[in-house]
């Protein structure tokens, strides 16, 4: 059985556009609302990344931090996150879901138990921000054994030699960090430069689906259209924060943002 | 798990940076892999380079002011009536605390790597103050991340940093203390690692930072060993070294040279911050049996909940107010080379009262924790036992807190 993540990329390719990936934090602003957001955007999005909020995130900018702290404050626990995924999958069972988080949460839960729960609830991929290659080799192969994609990250600082080795060990999807930044930073390099780095990755192995993330907003998304996939996270988290501030409905506001993003890459 | 002899502890980690196979490592975002590797290569080369070591020693001697005093606390010894109580007055060092050693070395490394800016975290403000001093000395721009709560309670050090030309960036996330300052500093480095060097303020963080800091603060025990031999003719038969432990930089440096001695001869006692007596919160992961987790790039014993969220700590001393602990100390605990215990806020304050009453010494609230346990235990030791307490920081920064808790006469 192939992973729905592969299908999502195939489908986007057949429509001659990049796959759209969104990142929202599980439990932001509440457990119920984060599920509603996932349900509402799911028809516009190809792959859903769901953040597992952590309270000492070393790679997240202020927008995602705000979302994460809000979710933790509102009581979200790992088991709630599995339940959110499970409930979502009842609603749309073919939509791929990727969990993204920090290793300590997995470590405390127990790697095997965590993966067992991922499997039961329908998680298709994992991104672990602070478990880089080669430290992640063992865990990545555990994921593979359970047909869960372990998504390797690449950054502009990744050396050529390292790049090749990571790509060789990667599963079908790779996440390229567009620039030196925490999540949600302003795009401080040109899209041309980002795409030239992207091409270097594709040249090593064109079969891998490479998505670009960090700094992608309604303003910048169009310029990176040629990638296999594009991830928007902080822009969505910001929308939730702003909606709460303005006492508006985050669900409809986030839907509108995602809808506009989708239109820009069609 | 075993401690090896004749190999520096900082070099006893495996290829991936784990001590004892499970403490430390490099749990970092991909972006930091390259800058960390670069720093490792540079540090491994320079720590064997005689010229570099001479340069370090020159600055330690002429600028930091080495050696710091080793003094007998005669009155306190008489009052306690047991072991001889001595102190290594590391707060004599330029700037008033041991943090100067690590800051100096990081600035020297930054210079060698061609970086023009250095960033760092701080809790009590000493790491930040020293980094700002060293950065000024070596012509580097300096950015210091500090929790908003710590900024409020450690004003004298904040003023010193600003005076040295550093930019002090308040961190409002989480508990607004050291843990959040370290996170924010790491995030800043993630985004700027091409141009900026990072100094982690203690023996915490990704493995190379643990090693650099431990290598730098070991100056303390190098000096002490010479001073002990000068005073007693040899390293005493019953030596007990007391040190407070927050991240663990001063204690590791205070013990390192004595690592290979049998623990019956040279015992190491680490004192963590137990927090207020009435509070369940503490900053003592080793004493109270916290589980292993990952914090700031390294596996260590750390206060956390069952989900793996890092827990808030509480301590009167900002410098010990950290939920984790150096991988080096986890290693020393599990190999049973060092013994760890905790002192409460109140016990530290009482020790401060006692020390300042009997001696011309004003230990900050951090070493006051160590004094508390040293005084209590010295009572039952024989007269030929040599107890040495590392007075690693000066109380000037704590005057606000001390005045509030003990009254004006103690300031």
């Amino acid at each position: 059985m192939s992973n729905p993540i592969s299908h999502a990329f195939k489908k986007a390719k057949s429509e001659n556009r990049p796959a759209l990936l969104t990142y929202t934090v599980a439990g932001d602003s509440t457990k119920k609302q984060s599920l509603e957001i996932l349900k509402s955007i799911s028809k516009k999005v190809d792959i859903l990344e769901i953040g597992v909020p952590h309270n000492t995130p070393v790679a997240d900018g202020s927008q995602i931090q705000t979302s994460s702290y809000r979710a933790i404050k509102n009581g979200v626990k790992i088991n709630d996150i599995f339940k959110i995924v499970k409930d979502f999958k009842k609603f749309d069972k073919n939509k791929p879901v990727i969990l993204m988080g920090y290793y300590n949460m997995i470590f405390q839960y127990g790697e095997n138990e965590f993966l067992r729960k991922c499997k039961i609830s329908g998680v298709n991929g994992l991104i672990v921000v602070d478990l880089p290659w080669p430290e992640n080799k063992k865990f990545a192969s555990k994921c593979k054994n359970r047909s869960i994609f372990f998504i390797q990250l690449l950054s502009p600082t990744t050396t050529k030699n390292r790049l090749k080795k990571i790509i060789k060990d990667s599963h079908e999807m790779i996440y390229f960090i567009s620039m030196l930044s925490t999540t949600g930073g302003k795009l401080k390099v040109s899209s041309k430069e980002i795409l030239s780095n992207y091409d270097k990755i594709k040249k090593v192995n064109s079969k891998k689906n490479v998505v670009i993330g960090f700094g992608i907003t309604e303003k910048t998304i169009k310029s990176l259209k040629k990638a296999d996939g594009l991830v928007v996270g902080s822009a969505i988290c910001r929308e939730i924060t702003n909606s709460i501030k303005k006492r508006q409905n985050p669900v409809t506001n986030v839907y509108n943002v995602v809808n506009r993003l989708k239109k820009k890459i069609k | 798990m075993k401690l090896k002899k004749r190999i520096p502890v900082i070099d006893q980690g495996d290829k991936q940076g784990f001590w004892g196979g499970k403490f430390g490592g490099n749990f970092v975002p991909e972006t930091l892999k390259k800058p960390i590797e670069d720093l490792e290569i540079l540090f491994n080369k320079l720590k064997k380079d005689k010229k570099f070591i001479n340069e370090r020693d020159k600055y330690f001697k002429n600028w930091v002011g080495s050696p710091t005093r080793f003094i007998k606390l005669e009155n306190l010894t008489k009052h306690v009536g047991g072991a001889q109580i001595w102190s290594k007055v590391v707060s004599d060092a330029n700037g008033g605390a041991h943090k100067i050693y690590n800051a100096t070395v990081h600035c020297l490394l930054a210079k060698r790597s061609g970086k023009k800016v250095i960033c760092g975290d701080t809790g009590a403000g000493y790491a930040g103050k020293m980094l700002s001093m060293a950065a000024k000395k070596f012509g580097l721009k300096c950015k210091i991340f500090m929790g908003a709560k710590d900024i409020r309670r450690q004003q004298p050090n904040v003023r010193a940093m600003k005076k040295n030309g550093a930019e002090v960036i308040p961190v409002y996330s989480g508990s607004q203390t050291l843990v959040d300052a370290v996170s924010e500093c790491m995030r800043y480095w993630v985004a700027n690692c091409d141009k900026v060097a990072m100094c982690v303020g203690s023996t915490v963080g990704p493995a190379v930072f643990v090693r650099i800091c431990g290598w730098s603060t070991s100056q303390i025990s190098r000096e002490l060993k010479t001073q002990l031999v000068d005073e007693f003719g040899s390293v005493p038969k019953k030596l007990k070294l007391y040190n407070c432990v927050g991240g663990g930089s001063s204690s590791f440096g205070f013990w390192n040279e004595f690592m290979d001695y049998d623990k019956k001869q040279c015992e190491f006692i680490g004192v963590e911050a137990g927090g207020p007596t009435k509070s369940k919160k503490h900053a003592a992961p080793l004493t109270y049996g916290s589980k292993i987790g990952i914090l700031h790039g390294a596996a260590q014993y750390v206060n956390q909940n069952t989900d793996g969220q890092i827990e808030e700590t509480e301590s009167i001393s900002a410098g010990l107010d950290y939920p984790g602990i150096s991988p080096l100390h986890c290693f020393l605990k599990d190999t049973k080379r060092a013994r760890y215990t905790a002192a409460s806020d109140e016990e530290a304050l009482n020790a401060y009262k006692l020390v300042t009453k009997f001696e011309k010494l004003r230990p900050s609230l951090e070493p006051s924790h160590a004094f508390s346990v040293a005084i209590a235990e010295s009572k039952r030791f024989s007269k030929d036992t040599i107890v040495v307490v590392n007075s690693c920081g000066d109380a000037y920064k704590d005057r606000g807190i001390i005045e509030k808790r003990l009254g004006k006469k103690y300031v």
Side-chain angles (χ1 to χ4, degrees), chain A residues 132-257:
Chain A
W133 188 91
E135 282 86 350
N136 62 34
K137 275 183 166 180
K138 241 194 206 159
F139 184 64
S141 76
K142 275 187 188 177
C143 292
K144 199 168 189 181
N145 289 339
R146 293 162 174 85
S147 330
I148 293 170
F149 284 170
F150 183 86
I151 293 136
Q152 298 281 359
L153 294 147
L154 296 170
S155 128
T157 56
T158 310
T159 57
K160 225 175 167 183
N161 197 11
R162 187 173 158 81
L163 191 85
K164 281 184 190 157
K165 288 182 190 160
I166 296 177
I167 294 172
K168 194 169 157 265
D169 274 356
S170 71
H171 303 161
E172 275 174 51
M173 174 181 159
I174 292 171
Y175 191 124
F176 174 58
I177 298 166
S178 64
M179 57 179 169
L180 298 191
S181 171
T182 51
T183 51
K186 217 174 163 194
L187 211 55
K188 57 183 178 183
V189 289
S190 68
S191 36
K192 207 176 140 197
E193 194 183 329
I194 296 170
L195 288 171
S196 121
N197 283 330
Y198 169 88
D199 286 339
K200 281 180 202 156
I201 300 166
K202 291 298 279 187
K203 233 182 232 166
V204 177
N205 187 338
S206 63
K207 281 183 192 145
K208 306 279 182 184
N209 292 298
V210 181
V211 304
I212 302 176
F214 284 39
I216 296 176
T217 60
E218 287 183 51
K219 269 189 193 151
T220 57
I221 194 164
K222 206 171 176 179
S223 65
L224 298 164
K225 229 176 118 172
K226 75 171 254 200
D228 295 330
L230 295 167
V231 191
V232 185
S234 293
I236 295 172
C237 293
R238 185 187 302 126
E239 190 60 35
I240 297 176
T241 303
N242 288 344
S243 304
I244 294 169
K245 262 190 209 153
K246 291 189 221 150
R247 295 176 182 272
Q248 291 173 351
N249 184 357
V251 184
T252 42
N253 282 0
V254 168
Y255 174 82
N256 290 335
V257 171

Side-chain angles (χ1 to χ4, degrees), chain B residues 271-391:
Chain B
V271 183
E272 297 185 300
T277 312
K278 280 183 190 156
S279 172
K280 275 192 182 148
K281 287 186 196 163
H282 60 84
L286 294 180
T287 306
Y288 297 127
S290 301
K291 281 171 74 177
I292 297 178
I294 286 103
L295 173 62
H296 295 140
Q300 62 201 271
Y301 292 112
V302 53
N303 297 354
Q304 58 185 322
N305 68 16
T306 50
D307 244 19
Q309 305 289 5
I310 306 304
E311 279 186 338
E312 281 190 16
T313 51
E314 195 176 353
S315 168
I316 195 168
S317 65
L320 306 181
D321 209 352
Y322 186 69
I325 174 89
S326 174
L328 298 172
H329 287 288
C330 300
F331 185 48
L332 293 178
K333 180 180 191 236
D334 278 19
T335 54
K336 299 197 167 68
R337 180 64 187 90
R339 166 164 71 88
Y340 296 87
T341 179
S344 67
D345 286 2
E346 292 78 5
E347 286 166 330
L349 284 166
N350 282 337
Y352 173 84
K353 266 162 76 176
L354 211 59
V355 173
T356 51
K357 184 180 165 191
F358 287 109
E359 304 290 342
K360 270 191 188 152
L361 188 66
R362 305 185 87 74
S364 67
L365 291 171
E366 288 80 11
S368 292
H369 284 72
F371 272 109
S372 163
V373 175
I375 290 168
E377 294 187 354
S378 287
K379 282 178 194 153
R380 51 183 173 82
F381 295 148
S382 59
K383 289 206 183 325
D384 59 342
T385 305
I386 308 299
V387 161
V388 190
V389 185
N390 181 0
S391 192

Side-chain angles (χ1 to χ4, degrees), chain A residues 52-61 64-65 68-69 72 101-105 129-130, chain B residues 27-29 171 173-184 186-187 293-298 300 302-304 308-313 322-324:
Chain A
V52 179
H54 186 44
N55 68 355
T56 51
V58 290
D60 286 311
I64 291 180
Q65 277 185 55
S68 297
Y69 295 142
I72 295 168
Y102 289 83
Y103 184 62
N104 194 41
M105 312 275 295
V129 181
D130 57 348
Chain B
F27 296 90
V28 295
V171 180
S173 57
S175 58
Q176 310 193 357
T177 57
L178 179 57
V179 64
D180 310 293
V182 180
S183 300
E184 190 63 26
M186 281 183 84
R187 287 189 282 261
I294 286 103
L295 173 62
H296 295 140
Q300 62 201 271
V302 53
N303 297 354
Q304 58 185 322
Q309 305 289 5
I310 306 304
E311 279 186 338
E312 281 190 16
T313 51
Y322 186 69

Side-chain angles (χ1 to χ4, degrees), chain A residues 8-75:
Chain A
F9 283 112
K10 263 182 214 145
K11 181 170 172 267
K13 240 161 237 156
S14 74
E15 292 171 10
N16 209 13
R17 61 172 177 86
L20 179 63
L21 293 86
T22 54
Y23 170 97
T24 49
V25 173
D28 183 28
S29 67
T30 63
K31 293 168 209 169
K32 199 173 145 227
Q33 194 177 65
S34 70
L35 177 62
E36 278 169 29
I37 289 172
L38 294 173
K39 284 180 179 173
S40 89
I41 60 178
S42 107
K43 52 182 167 299
K44 296 285 168 191
V45 176
D46 298 290
I47 299 170
L48 292 164
E49 278 183 21
I50 301 178
V52 179
H54 186 44
N55 68 355
T56 51
V58 290
D60 286 311
S62 63
Q63 300 300 338
I64 291 180
Q65 277 185 55
T66 303
S67 280
S68 297
Y69 295 142
R70 191 162 51 215
I72 295 168
K73 206 176 151 210
N74 289 339

Side-chain angles (χ1 to χ4, degrees), chain B residues 88-303:
Chain B
K88 174 80 176 143
V89 192
V90 173
S91 60
D92 280 351
N94 195 4
H98 66 286
K99 298 286 185 193
I100 192 73
Y101 301 111
N102 187 44
T104 303
V105 169
H106 268 288
C107 285
L108 286 171
L109 289 168
K111 287 290 266 190
R112 296 281 178 124
S113 64
K115 301 263 169 73
K116 303 232 165 13
V117 186
I118 192 157
C119 67
D121 57 79
T122 197
Y126 270 136
K129 179 183 168 188
M130 307 311 173
L131 190 61
S132 70
M133 280 169 56
K136 192 178 171 193
K137 170 94 183 161
F138 296 106
L140 297 161
K141 262 195 172 169
C142 183
K143 281 176 191 283
I144 302 293
F145 294 87
M146 187 170 187
K149 181 180 170 188
D150 290 338
I151 289 184
R152 286 193 297 274
R153 62 177 167 170
Q154 307 277 234
Q155 268 298 314
N157 278 348
V158 175
R159 281 194 294 273
M161 284 182 253
K162 288 185 178 160
K163 219 174 130 194
N164 290 327
E167 187 188 345
V168 181
I169 301 153
V171 180
Y172 294 103
S173 57
S175 58
Q176 310 193 357
T177 57
L178 179 57
V179 64
D180 310 293
V182 180
S183 300
E184 190 63 26
C185 185
M186 281 183 84
R187 287 189 282 261
Y188 181 78
W189 200 44
V190 168
N192 298 283
C193 56
D194 50 342
K195 294 184 194 81
V196 175
M198 179 171 76
C199 168
V200 179
S202 189
T203 37
V204 298
V208 68
F209 291 97
V210 173
R211 295 173 63 226
I212 293 172
C213 185
W215 187 78
S216 309
T217 53
S218 292
Q219 173 68 16
I220 303 169
S221 51
R222 267 198 302 276
E223 291 175 12
L224 178 61
K225 199 173 172 187
T226 311
Q227 288 165 326
L228 283 167
V229 173
D230 284 350
E231 185 69 37
F232 302 103
S234 64
V235 174
K237 285 277 175 308
K238 290 181 212 164
L239 179 67
K240 297 188 187 292
L241 304 178
Y242 289 81
N243 207 124
C244 59
V245 184
S249 59
S250 72
S251 45
F252 181 79
F254 187 51
W255 299 340
N256 188 44
E257 280 292 312
F258 304 96
M259 211 56 82
D260 285 353
Y261 286 83
D262 191 283
K263 70 176 173 192
K264 279 182 195 143
Q265 182 178 1
C266 302
E267 195 189 7
F268 305 156
I269 304 96
V271 183
E272 297 185 300
T277 312
K278 280 183 190 156
S279 172
K280 275 192 182 148
K281 287 186 196 163
H282 60 84
L286 294 180
T287 306
Y288 297 127
S290 301
K291 281 171 74 177
I292 297 178
I294 286 103
L295 173 62
H296 295 140
Q300 62 201 271
Y301 292 112
V302 53
N303 297 354

